[in-house]
Amino acid sequence: MSDILPEDGTSGTLIGRVWRRGTANGPSVVAVRADGLHDITAAAPTVADLCNAADPVALVRKTTGEPLGTLSDLAGDLLAPIDLQAIKAAGVTFAVSLLERLIEEHAKGDPGRAEQVRKELNQIIGADVTAIKPGSPEAEELKKTLMARGAWSPYLEVGIGPYAEIFTKAPTMAAVGYGAEIGIRHDSDWNNPEPEVTLIVNASGTIVGATLGNDVNLRDIEGRSALLLGQAKDNNASCAIGPFIRLFDETFTLDDVRRAKVELEVTGPDQFRLRGQSDLSQISRDPTELVTHAMGRTHQYPDGMALMTGTLFAPTEPRTPGGPGFTHMVGDLVSVRSPKLGTLTNRVNHCDKIPPWTFGTTALMRNLAARGLL
């Protein structure tokens, strides 16, 4: 189980959630330490409470908690390490993802047309969008040029315009964690993982830590219309977050997030293997800027939020020789890893074959109350 942890093991301040069994049946907040997982729910009934504390790191360190067992023993009971936080996502935050969204739109969700559309768009756009800062005068000039050529798009609007794309990835409490199945719809023929660093933000808009996320995306459905984003993004088990939140302390800071590299590996039941990498140093908007687009005077989240920051990785490698670009197959094992954040691993299944989501906010409150933790 060592690969689930960051490269420096438990040197940082790691927190998570597990489903406790027996008399304490229910979700518990845990601190991840060298000797295993310690239940600190008595000090912080929810992860939202912990992240909204005046000093989350000090709270974790001063709370001894109840030893539950080793990480190996409890890996099968890990949950997403967030609970009451809103689950938001930023889209089109890298130049590559901008081009891929344009391809989806122009191909109308048809993966067979993707490569030809890719060539056409490169000729039309011309400019190196990686060098253009969103909202800048240069971006405005490019917008005018593309509009004159009839090539403007909603994706270009958020990719280089003044406003970031921020959407709700999943309802509160709907994310799945390490080891859980992740869902694609049976009526989608073009879909892929989106490995992302996920910011953990408290109620005041301060980033207090980070974790990993997989923003599972149905490219064919979103490509038919940007208005189908909810159908493409928010489905049963389509949001994976974990394995643990690493809080900002002397071992891990926002600058580590800014230069984080996120690796992806997909291993299929057909022996197909896909590898890729996303580099946050190439993001078009700083993580703090993304937070200001998601939270502030016009958007408040009293329980905080988890904000997925987008991905540089857009797989185009055909799964079969001569076939269209990559798409998932049921049974794919997807691993998202970053040196400072550990590894998030999930296996793909159809959304309607994965047990439905039933444990929401009301269930959590009743469970904590019954356990005398509220």
Side-chain angles (χ1 to χ4, degrees), residues 67-87:
L68 299 182
T70 67
L71 178 55
S72 295
D73 292 338
L74 296 166
D77 295 322
L78 289 176
L79 304 170
I82 59 171
D83 40 43
L84 298 180
Q85 293 92 338
I87 306 174

Side-chain angles (χ1 to χ4, degrees), residues 17-346:
R17 293 169 68 239
V18 300
W19 186 273
R20 290 196 61 175
R21 304 182 186 278
T23 56
N25 188 55
S28 291
V29 181
V30 295
V32 185
R33 296 172 178 152
D35 62 345
L37 306 185
H38 293 245
D39 188 340
I40 60 171
T41 317
T46 66
V47 174
D49 286 319
L50 193 159
C51 292
N52 276 333
D55 189 340
V57 171
L59 177 59
V60 173
R61 291 178 176 175
K62 76 180 183 182
T63 304
T64 302
E66 177 187 352
L68 299 182
T70 67
L71 178 55
S72 295
D73 292 338
L74 296 166
D77 295 322
L78 289 176
L79 304 170
I82 59 171
D83 40 43
L84 298 180
Q85 293 92 338
I87 306 174
K88 311 295 286 188
V92 200
T93 53
F94 292 86
V96 169
S97 61
L98 167 59
L99 292 173
E100 290 302 313
R101 296 294 86 77
L102 290 170
I103 289 163
E104 290 168 9
E105 180 184 42
H106 285 258
K108 304 300 182 185
D110 179 2
R113 293 194 60 227
E115 191 56 38
Q116 181 59 37
V117 170
R118 185 174 288 109
K119 294 176 181 178
E120 294 170 357
L121 284 173
N122 284 332
Q123 293 176 348
I124 292 173
I125 294 175
D128 181 7
V129 293
T130 63
I132 296 176
K133 179 175 175 55
S136 67
E138 292 80 7
E140 184 62 27
E141 285 303 311
L142 177 59
K143 175 178 180 177
K144 291 178 181 178
T145 300
L146 293 174
M147 289 184 72
R149 299 182 66 176
W152 194 244
S153 157
Y155 294 108
L156 282 162
E157 181 66 52
V158 296
I160 64 175
Y163 300 108
E165 179 190 17
I166 304 292
F167 59 92
T168 297
K169 169 59 185 177
T172 296
M173 294 285 295
V176 299
Y178 175 92
E181 290 184 310
I182 48 174
I184 56 173
R185 289 172 55 138
H186 71 276
D187 55 352
S188 171
D189 297 317
W190 187 19
N191 46 71
N192 59 236
E194 293 192 0
E196 307 183 10
V197 170
T198 301
L199 306 174
I200 304 300
V201 188
N202 68 15
S204 66
T206 300
I207 306 171
V208 298
T211 185
L212 294 170
N214 185 353
D215 176 15
V216 182
N217 183 34
L218 310 183
R219 299 188 67 180
D220 47 358
I221 291 179
E222 183 180 358
R224 292 172 198 152
S225 170
L227 298 181
L228 291 174
L229 183 67
Q231 298 282 353
K233 293 283 191 179
D234 181 8
N235 297 288
N236 184 38
S238 65
C239 176
I241 292 177
F244 309 111
I245 294 170
R246 185 164 187 169
L247 296 174
F248 289 161
D249 59 12
E250 68 278 4
T251 72
F252 183 63
T253 69
L254 185 57
D255 282 337
D256 288 302
V257 170
R258 290 185 172 113
R259 55 178 175 258
K261 289 180 172 56
V262 181
E263 299 170 353
L264 172 76
E265 182 174 27
V266 179
T267 304
D270 57 350
Q271 307 307 309
F272 177 85
R273 179 166 291 184
L274 175 74
R275 288 189 176 97
Q277 187 180 86
S278 186
D279 184 347
L280 249 74
S281 68
Q282 298 182 41
I283 201 167
S284 59
R285 303 179 197 262
D286 188 77
T288 55
E289 181 184 351
L290 291 176
V291 170
T292 62
H293 282 275
M295 284 184 74
R297 296 179 64 184
T298 56
H299 300 85
Q300 292 84 41
Y301 298 103
D303 294 305
M305 71 172 177
L307 177 62
M308 306 176 89
T309 55
T311 186
L312 174 67
F313 182 66
T316 59
E317 180 182 345
R319 185 142 198 172
T320 56
F326 173 82
T327 193
H328 267 310
M329 177 182 290
V330 168
D332 278 350
L333 187 68
V334 184
S335 290
V336 179
R337 180 164 181 82
S338 190
K340 289 275 189 174
L341 296 172
T343 304
L344 173 64
T345 300
N346 304 93

